[in-house]
Amino acid sequence: MRTTAFSPSNHWNPAFRNSQITPQRPKTNAKPFLFNAKNPLNHRQAHPPFPSFSINPSKNPPTPISQNPNFDPPPLVVVGSANADIYVEIERLPKEGETISATSGQTLAGGKGANQAACGGKLRYPTYFLGQVGEDAHGKLVSQALEDSGVKLDHLNTVSGTPTGHAVVMLQSDGQNSIIIVGGTNMSSWPEVLPDEDLELVKNAGIVLLQREIPDFVNDQVAKGIKQVLLKLGDKGSALFIEGEDPIKQPIIKAKKVLDTTGAGDTFTAAFAVAHVEGKSKAECLRFAAAAASLCVQAKGAIPSMPVRESVSDLLQTL
């Protein structure tokens, strides 16, 4: 069985954006998958077994995935965008016709799809990314960041003649951000019909994450039927609405400090997905995701700020 989650086209800001989800319990022994357009960038060996995690573990916690020979975890599959995020730090946004100086600037890997995939990889869950980059420095930057995060890139497509998608992120001193996106390879050169083998692999995923930063016809072929909706509600937390059931609500976990909100929504989505495919209760999934997002906003950048599993678990132990 699979779960599908949607994220909107814009990066996360302090008001969590809406996402749609269709959670179902994952099957065991599902085969891993990542959609491949053409010409995979590289072929990596499968990662070592991935450990499970426990939220508020009891005296007899469940056996970790890595120690359970009867469980082959269905993968997290992200079909979406990859960007080079060009950060400029400013005191305020410029007025019309005004030129201001940035206090600093740098270029980091990002994009909603890549962010979510990187978060899944950092949480040490088998994660595949299906997306496209160009034959340029930005493409190499994104690919390297994903690989360093533990994401499987067997089906990342490299497109010639089109630049990698990128975004200009204007980060203000109070942590707010404004973003301009250039679609690049995220919006062009996708096959009109996805290969049958790719769609079959999607069916075997534990959860599939989608965003609106790639063509709708790609998402349409991947996602079928949505019966559950996950709403991210900013400082009001989040709520999971399931047909025929009462909503499950989760308040935010306040951060000690807020440096940059970029990527926090993607962190929340990916962390929820990882917890879901690992078989946690829906309430535990929301709590784990809230903790991950809380840690994300305490560091700058999108992928660089995404927490590793141990940090999330440690935070949950203190609550």
Side-chain angles (χ1 to χ4, degrees), residues 124-231:
R124 297 212 306 270
Y125 193 86
T127 302
Y128 289 79
F129 178 65
L130 182 157
Q132 300 190 147
V133 296
E135 294 179 330
D136 51 25
H138 285 167
K140 294 178 181 178
L141 173 70
V142 173
S143 301
Q144 189 62 54
L146 288 170
E147 186 172 10
D148 290 346
S149 298
V151 179
K152 300 180 181 182
L153 302 180
D154 305 67
H155 301 282
L156 176 62
N157 190 36
T158 302
V159 178
S160 61
T162 304
T164 300
H166 53 283
V168 178
V169 182
M170 293 169 283
L171 180 62
Q172 299 177 61
S173 57
D174 60 359
Q176 304 295 322
N177 62 58
S178 299
I179 303 170
I180 302 172
I181 294 177
V182 179
T185 51
N186 293 319
M187 295 301 297
S188 65
S189 303
W190 288 87
E192 292 185 4
V193 179
L194 301 183
D196 291 340
E197 59 270 24
D198 295 338
L199 294 175
E200 183 62 27
L201 288 171
V202 165
K203 293 177 182 178
N204 291 327
I207 189 166
V208 179
L209 303 184
L210 304 174
Q211 310 86 42
R212 299 297 301 281
E213 292 181 345
I214 61 175
D216 285 342
F217 74 86
V218 177
N219 285 333
D220 290 343
Q221 294 180 65
V222 175
K224 304 294 182 181
I226 296 172
K227 297 182 179 179
Q228 301 186 29
V229 178
L230 173 63
L231 297 180

Side-chain angles (χ1 to χ4, degrees), residues 252-296:
I252 64 168
I253 296 177
K254 292 185 177 180
K256 294 181 180 178
K257 59 181 178 180
V258 177
L259 291 182
D260 182 7
T261 59
T262 307
D266 299 325
T267 298
F268 182 98
T269 301
F272 179 92
V274 168
H276 169 66
V277 294
E278 289 196 335
K280 298 296 181 275
S281 72
K282 295 179 177 66
E284 287 178 320
C285 292
L286 290 171
R287 191 163 181 262
F288 184 77
S294 177
L295 291 170
C296 178

